[in-house]
Amino acid sequence: DAKTTQPTSMDCAEGRAANLPCNHSTISGNEYVYWYRQIHSQGPQYIIHGLKNNETNEMASLIITEDRKSSTLILPHATLRDTAVYYCIVTGTYKYIFGTGTRLKVLA
Amino acid sequence: DGGITQSPKYLFRKEGQNVTLSCEQNLNHDAMYWYRQDPGQGLRLIYYSQIVNDFQKGDIAEGYSVSREKKESFPLTVTSAQKNPTAFYLCASSIYGRSANYGYTFGSGTRLTVV
């Protein structure tokens, strides 16, 4: 599975868009990009995933670059409840490898 | 509502005792997983199972054992051989298939403290 690189932490003002980057320069053709988030002392929650195209759902948007070597998770209007650790995972199988993620803090 | 249930939420055990963590899902998912999380760290895979009566070791299987007698259940036993068992344990499930186009559903976790 491809390795991912994410910033350790980020801050975002409440109501603004939160843009969380992820580098996955060694991604291969059949590997998907997944995003999960983990609020303190809870199980991770699925947010969104994609292969090549940009994706949007009720929680977030996922922008994948054309060469697929990086992606950005966008939370369009961050709220205090979005404060969490966000994990970017790249996988071609059902088996995940988690890094340490990005700790997003939404500020009032 | 379909989901994945882990119990108990908090568990305390004396050093040297085996302890079993429960994980049950009613999502009809084929695959189930156990992860361990230490403070400030990401999740590390202990064991996973793709189908009933079959399971594979993950990256940190030493000192742990599992069984998969039913599709819905995947209990994890932390044995006395596990050197540092105090951690947050997470169970997950997913549809199993050749494609990775399936997300995980996680339980709410069990925090095990060994004293």
Side-chain angles (χ1 to χ4, degrees):
Chain A
D1 291 339
K3 186 178 169 63
T4 62
T5 305
Q6 298 178 253
T8 303
S9 64
M10 294 180 65
D11 290 342
C12 176
E14 191 178 18
R16 304 295 295 267
N19 298 293
L20 289 88
C22 180
N23 237 309
H24 31 80
S25 58
T26 59
I27 192 170
S28 59
N30 65 342
E31 289 184 318
Y32 287 78
V33 180
Y34 278 86
W35 284 85
Y36 285 78
R37 72 180 182 186
Q38 186 177 24
I39 295 168
H40 184 62
S41 293
Q42 297 182 24
Q45 175 191 23
Y46 166 84
I47 302 172
I48 198 165
H49 75 283
L51 184 62
K52 295 179 188 176
N53 301 321
N54 298 338
E55 303 287 344
T56 296
N57 63 21
E58 63 279 2
M59 288 182 70
S61 294
L62 173 60
I63 308 298
I64 302 174
T65 58
E66 194 168 340
D67 63 7
R68 303 213 318 129
K69 292 186 177 183
S70 66
S71 61
T72 301
L73 177 75
I74 301 172
L75 308 179
H77 306 286
T79 71
L80 298 178
R81 286 179 294 181
D82 292 321
T83 293
V85 177
Y86 288 77
Y87 297 100
C88 169
I89 297 159
V90 170
T91 183
T93 73
Y94 50 89
K95 193 175 153 196
Y96 291 176
I97 297 173
F98 283 80
T100 52
T102 295
R103 186 172 297 276
L104 175 70
K105 189 171 181 182
V106 179
L107 306 171
Chain B
D1 283 338
I4 184 163
T5 302
Q6 289 187 244
S7 60
K9 192 168 177 64
Y10 298 96
L11 190 55
F12 295 86
R13 278 295 181 270
K14 290 184 178 178
E15 197 170 339
Q17 288 183 335
N18 291 357
V19 61
T20 298
L21 282 59
S22 170
C23 178
E24 304 275 334
Q25 55 99 358
N26 61 2
L27 299 163
N28 200 31
H29 283 172
D30 304 295
M32 296 186 74
Y33 314 83
W34 274 105
Y35 284 88
R36 169 185 172 135
Q37 188 174 35
D38 293 287
Q41 303 297 313
L43 282 66
R44 292 185 290 166
L45 183 63
I46 304 172
Y47 267 98
Y48 63 102
S49 168
Q50 300 162 23
I51 56 172
V52 174
N53 293 323
D54 187 44
F55 47 83
Q56 286 78 40
K57 292 181 180 180
D59 301 317
I60 55 164
E62 187 174 348
Y64 300 97
S65 66
V66 293
S67 62
R68 187 87 187 275
E69 297 176 3
K70 298 187 299 180
K71 188 175 185 178
E72 302 80 15
S73 178
F74 191 42
L76 173 75
T77 297
V78 184
T79 75
S80 56
Q82 168 48 234
K83 297 282 185 264
N84 187 16
T86 294
F88 188 47
Y89 291 88
L90 285 155
C91 181
S93 68
S94 72
I95 297 170
Y96 170 62
R98 292 183 184 276
S99 168
N101 191 19
Y102 307 114
Y104 279 18
T105 300
F106 280 89
S108 55
T110 292
R111 190 166 298 279
L112 173 65
T113 302
V114 175
V115 296

